[in-house]
Amino acid sequence: MHGADGVAFDGTAPVLVIGAGACGLTAALAARQAGAEVAVIERDPLPRGNTALSAGLIPAAGTRFQRARGIDDDPARFAADILAKTKGRADPAMVATVTQEAASTIEWLADAARIDFRVLDDFRYPGHSALRMHAAPEGTGEGLLDRLARAAEHADVTLMTDAAVTALFAEDDGRIAGVQVTRPDGSADRVGCGALILACNGFGGNPAMVRAHCPEMADALYFGHPGNRGDAVLWGTALGAATRDMTGYQGHASVAHPHGILITWAVISEGGIQVNLEGRRFADESRGYSEQAVEVLGQPDRLAWVIFDEPIAAVARQFEDFRTAEAAGAVKWAESVPALATATGLPAAALAETLHQVTAFAGGAQACPFGRRFDPRSVLLPPFAAVRVTGALFHTQGGLVVDADARVLRPDGIPLPNLYAGGGAACGLSGPEADGYLSGNGLLTATVLGRLAGRHAAEHFGAREAENAA
Ligand SMILES: Cc1cc2nc3c(=O)[nH]c(=O)nc-3n(C[C@H](O)[C@H](O)[C@H](O)COP(=O)(O)OP(=O)(O)OC[C@H]3O[C@@H](n4cnc5c(N)ncnc54)[C@H](O)[C@@H]3O)c2cc1C
């Protein structure tokens, strides 16, 4: 953080955004639509971020896309699901704001970025009481990101790539006057701003911060974007902003090892199980993939096998990642339990006993000791499929505390004069633990808070700066 006194800027944007992921591009589109000139600064040569690595699924309740499929859902029900997953540890006011804005954000994005969203209707992620996952037609985060980037370009958003923000310049009252941008060749520019939107995600790519705040993930595979180094939190706290739930994160218990490919959690939701290298189950997999990551990391060699069958694989194949995993040979198939033991190297007797028990749980003959309720219709039948997986950190959920307009707040609740945050830069809706992460919480706050930030920044700073420039 540097003082702004006497600093000259090479150019000025009324609304300046750091980061060209879902949050930054959504914020830029919203600000443009509200009439402001907008510039987005992105470190990478091509916008990608966590967003392009993601499955691209955004939850929203009460959308026209749900109605077209006859799905009954509403924001209050969605908010209740989020609060139940966090056991009430997320901020209820922020949960209410975001869930109320989610449907209009999806519908607005559909129009503004020409995204004909599809609602996933063949399985439900753990904790969602309605079918509400919206996917771009490509069914990938990359497809979503590319559509947002194209829409931003058509809307005349200025996108600076190969441009890392390396410092902020602030007045004594905390007003951000501008930023320093450093290029790969070491040259630097200074860009002034009316308002600054932090859309540069969390600190998953900063090992020291992960160790400090999420120590159980310190030695885990980080499966997110390496450029997310915690800058928003570091700058915000230097300005006196409040942070919250810094120990919260999205883990994932199902990354194919050693292939490094996400195996969709649909394999578990549809009835699959996880066993350790001893052929034994070790937790209730159905609670969610985030909390299960730590369970997998606690097993021998930090590995597990996901076991499922052909009907489940048919559901999983809608995801490109799963098809890639099959093509890469990560999915082993076997016609019988002994053949499965041979294919995986798992101890045959223990594996047979585990699968026998799971059949008994599904039939109601025995209760699962971990408390999972198995659906009687989802008894696993040959041919069996298995993928060796490890647990990983996907992104952090703690961050800067913001208000209902995505303005960054001080600990006393007063907003900093012209600073906004959304997506992984802001505190999420998952509370302080990995088990509070409800699927989709990441892109939910990226898009909703991005839109709120862009709109408010444009309304309050866009016109004023345009007048100043005139
Ligand atoms: C494998 C995987 C699957 C996932 N699937 C889903 C899903 O289906 N649904 C869901 O809701 N969430 C999912 N997530 C989480 C989701 O990806 C993130 O929550 C979301 O993409 C965050 O968006 P963002 O815009 O805040 O950050 P990002 O998309 O990461 O964008 C941040 C950008 O800021 C740039 N940046 C950072 N620092 C600077 C700097 N100093 N200067 C300039 N640029 C900078 C980065 O280069 C990056 O491009 C998944 C995550 C992973 C890893």
Side-chain angles (χ1 to χ4, degrees), residues 197-208:
I197 300 176
L198 299 174
C200 42
N201 208 329
F203 53 89
N206 182 325

Side-chain angles (χ1 to χ4, degrees), residues 299-369:
Q299 300 308 305
D301 291 354
R302 303 160 76 81
L303 294 172
W305 284 87
V306 187
I307 297 175
F308 49 102
D309 62 9
E310 178 52 43
I312 296 176
V315 174
R317 279 191 195 104
Q318 70 184 285
F319 293 98
E320 188 179 287
D321 283 335
F322 187 82
R323 298 193 300 271
T324 306
E326 282 198 304
V331 185
K332 312 281 181 209
W333 286 96
E335 290 295 336
S336 65
V337 177
L340 186 65
T342 305
T344 55
L346 292 170
L351 183 61
E353 194 187 348
T354 298
L355 286 168
H356 181 74
Q357 284 170 346
V358 167
T359 304
F361 302 151
Q366 282 179 40
C368 166

Side-chain angles (χ1 to χ4, degrees), residues 98-170:
V98 172
T99 50
Q100 269 156 24
E101 295 286 336
S104 65
T105 299
I106 283 285
E107 293 183 1
W108 167 78
L109 272 179
D111 300 332
R114 294 194 193 159
I115 305 176
D116 189 16
F117 282 107
R118 173 175 69 93
V119 182
L120 296 199
D121 63 0
D122 51 359
F123 73 95
R124 232 183 251 177
Y125 279 94
H128 283 287
S129 64
L131 293 165
R132 58 169 78 103
M133 286 296 190
H134 294 70
E138 297 80 5
T140 60
E142 197 168 27
L144 172 71
L145 199 268
D146 286 344
R147 283 171 184 268
L148 293 174
R150 272 200 301 276
E153 190 185 340
H154 287 149
D156 287 330
V157 169
T158 302
L159 177 62
M160 299 165 67
T161 52
D162 269 331
V165 174
T166 46
L168 308 190
F169 299 100

Side-chain angles (χ1 to χ4, degrees), residues 125-283:
Y125 279 94
H128 283 287
S129 64
L131 293 165
R132 58 169 78 103
M133 286 296 190
H134 294 70
E138 297 80 5
T140 60
E142 197 168 27
L144 172 71
L145 199 268
D146 286 344
R147 283 171 184 268
L148 293 174
R150 272 200 301 276
E153 190 185 340
H154 287 149
D156 287 330
V157 169
T158 302
L159 177 62
M160 299 165 67
T161 52
D162 269 331
V165 174
T166 46
L168 308 190
F169 299 100
E171 312 281 2
D172 289 345
D173 64 354
R175 195 184 80 84
I176 307 296
V179 306
Q180 172 152 302
V181 177
T182 304
R183 303 287 183 171
D185 65 5
S187 62
D189 309 317
R190 287 170 177 178
V191 183
C193 63
L196 181 66
I197 300 176
L198 299 174
C200 42
N201 208 329
F203 53 89
N206 182 325
M209 288 180 78
V210 171
R211 192 168 288 281
H213 299 292
C214 315
E216 70 272 31
M217 282 287 127
D219 299 316
L221 169 72
Y222 172 51
F223 206 58
H225 187 261
N228 297 327
R229 302 177 191 164
D231 292 338
V233 164
L234 296 171
W235 291 324
T237 45
L239 285 159
T243 58
R244 186 177 157 153
D245 294 341
M246 292 293 285
T247 48
Y249 62 90
Q250 180 198 9
H252 207 296
S254 191
V255 175
H257 178 82
H259 307 79
I261 303 169
L262 174 63
I263 302 298
T264 169
W265 203 244
V267 296
I268 298 294
S269 308
E270 291 297 292
I273 58 167
Q274 285 196 324
V275 299
N276 61 20
L277 298 189
E278 292 159 359
R280 307 277 179 204
R281 287 179 61 240
F282 46 88

